[in-house]
Amino acid sequence: MSKELVSLQFLRPPPLHNHRPLSTLNLRPKPPQNPIYLRRTTTTPHRSKTSSSDDGIPSNEVKTIAKFKSRHNYIRVIEVSRKSNHPLAGSRLLLLDNPGNIHSISFLLKTLTDSYFDVFATLPPIIPPGPIGILGFGAGSTARLILELYPPEITIHGWEIDPCVIDVGREYFGLSKLERDHKDRIFINIGDALEASVKTGFSGILVDLFSKGSVIKELQDPKVWESLKCRLSKRGRIMVNVGGRCVEAEDSERDGDLVMEETLKAMRRVFGDKLFVLTLGNGNDSSVALTGDLPDLDAWKKRLPRRELSSYVDMWKPYTEFRLS
């Protein structure tokens, strides 16, 4: 009998085939964020020409803590053993939708996640004072980074459509403690994130909105970006997880790259040349978009609270120079 492995692939994940027998776990952060699904080790996975081989770990090093369906999501919480020889070792992951995209990451022994959540955490130094909105709150990975890394004058207003996701965050991801420790800095709203607003306007908006394994369709509509732009304060910025080929959608027609391109095109119609893109994983992982003029990069780096975050600053490219590899 072949040894059962958990296969975690970050660059180019194979497609989901529900008709195959289930016995091996494939993890990919959403985009890190990437989906998780089961597959036999005897099955040869599809690979693109530039993909690397999967990193396998024994399945007994992955533990399922919770698994259930809510009105909006198929929710799973898993832990990867600290003994695992993998970047996700020691992490707890929130997986949503059938493919199992990772929507939140929490490590027991470290703060940073080595994912797009860390990119989100570089936003505060380049926006004016004021509240930050997180649209698509998940279990609170982005909020935790910002609240723990930045001074108390920064406040977070989060929106999540699924109350069960917030419950999971409080139960398994330390969100209750985060709310207690920062009770005057974090405000969680249950409802449609596209209706999010605060009286003063947001100094920054972080957008991480996925449904059924894909960037939501509304974000391919320029009118939605025009509406979000109007909710910014003067010199405010928006940073967006626009996904990419690492995202596994339930609908096979919602190709990650194509959805990302359509989302960026919609943003370009609203923000013009003030649109920049950063891609992780040599073009094979998540892409993040940023609005506004490109800041002074050296000044940006100096204001970051952790040196490790500075590596992302040099990765931004104008949208006009952005090309998929």
Side-chain angles (χ1 to χ4, degrees):
M1 181 181 295
S2 61
K3 186 176 181 181
E4 189 177 5
L5 297 178
V6 177
S7 178
L8 300 98
Q9 183 179 354
F10 284 87
L11 297 183
R12 292 180 185 240
L16 177 65
H17 298 292
N18 290 324
H19 63 278
R20 294 182 179 174
L22 305 180
S23 66
T24 307
L25 200 59
N26 240 358
L27 270 182
R28 301 167 301 169
K30 175 183 103 210
Q33 342 56 150
N34 299 20
I36 171 174
Y37 48 89
L38 305 175
R39 168 171 287 152
R40 286 192 182 279
T41 55
T42 55
T43 300
T44 302
H46 165 79
R47 303 181 194 278
S48 59
K49 295 180 180 180
T50 60
S51 66
S52 61
S53 60
D54 294 349
D55 295 325
I57 62 174
S59 60
N60 60 9
E61 293 182 3
V62 174
K63 178 182 179 182
T64 299
I65 300 175
K67 180 172 65 174
F68 65 96
K69 287 187 177 181
S70 71
R71 176 184 175 187
H72 299 279
N73 291 295
Y74 174 34
I75 297 173
R76 282 162 284 178
V77 179
I78 69 169
E79 279 185 346
V80 181
S81 171
R82 284 186 290 167
K83 297 179 181 180
S84 174
N85 183 25
H86 191 275
L88 287 176
S91 68
R92 183 171 286 186
L93 309 174
L94 170 65
L95 312 176
L96 301 181
D97 57 57
N98 285 326
N101 294 287
I102 299 175
H103 284 245
S104 290
I105 300 178
S106 175
F107 286 92
L108 180 63
L109 300 177
K110 67 177 184 178
T111 301
L112 299 182
T113 66
D114 298 319
S115 73
Y116 75 94
F117 296 115
D118 296 352
V119 180
F120 277 178
T122 67
L123 181 65
I126 58 170
I127 57 177
I132 296 174
I134 298 179
L135 312 189
F137 190 83
S141 294
T142 300
R144 175 172 290 102
L145 283 169
I146 292 174
L147 293 175
E148 292 183 355
L149 293 176
Y150 290 96
E153 56 265 23
I154 292 180
T155 61
I156 297 292
H157 295 253
W159 271 261
E160 174 60 49
I161 198 169
D162 191 344
C164 291
V165 169
I166 298 300
D167 290 342
V168 164
R170 289 170 174 153
E171 179 72 20
Y172 300 110
F173 289 85
L175 180 56
S176 290
K177 183 178 186 302
L178 194 72
E179 291 175 296
R180 290 194 302 270
D181 293 347
H182 304 279
K183 61 181 179 180
D184 297 323
R185 301 181 62 197
I186 180 170
F187 307 92
I188 299 174
N189 303 273
I190 303 298
D192 185 352
L194 296 180
E195 300 297 325
S197 65
V198 291
K199 290 182 180 180
T200 60
F202 294 107
S203 63
I205 299 176
L206 294 164
V207 181
D208 195 12
L209 294 173
F210 285 70
S211 177
K212 298 181 179 180
S214 179
V215 176
I216 64 172
K217 294 180 179 180
E218 289 85 347
L219 297 187
Q220 289 92 64
D221 184 351
K223 294 179 181 178
V224 171
W225 292 110
E226 190 65 54
S227 177
L228 290 176
K229 181 181 179 181
C230 291
R231 292 175 231 174
L232 291 171
S233 60
K234 186 177 181 180
R235 303 193 317 280
R237 298 176 182 270
I238 301 176
M239 192 178 280
V240 189
N241 174 10
V242 293
R245 65 190 56 165
C246 63
V247 184
E248 185 75 20
E250 293 181 9
D251 182 350
S252 61
E253 295 184 1
R254 298 284 291 171
D255 175 79
D257 278 348
L258 293 178
V259 171
M260 175 182 65
E261 289 178 331
E262 292 303 312
T263 302
L264 289 171
K265 287 178 181 177
M267 294 184 70
R268 173 66 187 279
R269 289 181 59 181
V270 175
F271 298 100
D273 291 335
K274 296 184 179 182
L275 179 64
F276 298 84
V277 185
L278 173 157
T279 299
L280 302 170
N282 296 318
N284 299 309
D285 208 331
S286 304
S287 291
V288 181
L290 173 68
T291 68
D293 293 314
L294 191 66
D296 180 287
L297 300 187
D298 290 334
W300 189 358
K301 291 178 184 178
K302 290 178 181 178
R303 297 185 63 191
L304 290 170
R306 295 282 289 272
R307 181 175 54 83
E308 301 95 316
L309 295 176
S310 63
S311 62
Y312 298 112
V313 170
D314 293 320
M315 295 173 65
W316 294 101
K317 295 182 178 179
Y319 170 75
T320 52
E321 299 178 12
F322 173 69
R323 297 290 184 275
L324 292 172
S325 59

